[in-house]
Amino acid sequence: MTGKWRLLISAVVCVVAVASAFHFLMMERYGVPDSGIRVVQQSNEDGSSDWVIRLYQSDSRHHWQASGKSYAVAIDRLGSNSFALDIAYGSSDNGRHRIRQQVRLGDGLTLVAAFGAGPTEAGDTRVIIDRVK
């Protein structure tokens, strides 16, 4: 009898571990994050890079905030399509760019800033916000 219980408990623990790994590895990467924001840097073939900021639940949320090794983002909703941006990206070695502005964002992709290559950078940089419904 104890052998069956051990096997059953081991199977339950294994299922919970697999489900947790799936949630944290797959859903956080491809699903909607709990914070409602995802920041991705995409490098292009010509040496330029795009910072794509995806805002999820953009009709119901009023504040998004995220930070990482080379970025800090805070976005506030001011009206139905009006947003206040406070975005900083880049490392301190290459110079840190900061964007503070109010913008109107429709659904989908919107280019909010573009910077030319500096003396120590490889290519141009664009900052794009994607309102995901």
Side-chain angles (χ1 to χ4, degrees), residues 24 42 44 51 55 70 82 90 120:
F24 288 113
Q42 301 172 343
N44 300 322
W51 285 88
L55 301 179
S70 58
S82 180
T120 60

Side-chain angles (χ1 to χ4, degrees), residues 55-132:
L55 301 179
Y56 295 91
Q57 302 139 351
S58 61
D59 286 339
S60 60
R61 293 183 74 106
H62 293 284
H63 180 74
W64 294 264
Q65 189 168 354
S67 61
K69 183 179 176 182
S70 58
Y71 66 88
V73 176
I75 299 176
D76 291 307
R77 172 193 292 283
L78 302 176
S80 62
N81 290 329
S82 180
F83 295 83
L85 309 178
D86 187 0
I87 302 169
Y89 71 91
S91 64
S92 58
D93 299 339
N94 292 335
R96 194 151 171 96
H97 295 281
R98 186 150 198 152
I99 304 163
R100 285 186 178 166
Q101 63 184 357
Q102 292 182 8
V103 296
R104 289 187 138 330
L105 298 175
D107 294 339
L109 299 171
T110 303
L111 176 67
V112 295
F115 299 95
T120 60
E121 297 173 341
D124 299 338
T125 302
R126 298 184 306 170
V127 178
I128 301 167
I129 295 184
D130 184 10
R131 280 184 68 188
V132 180

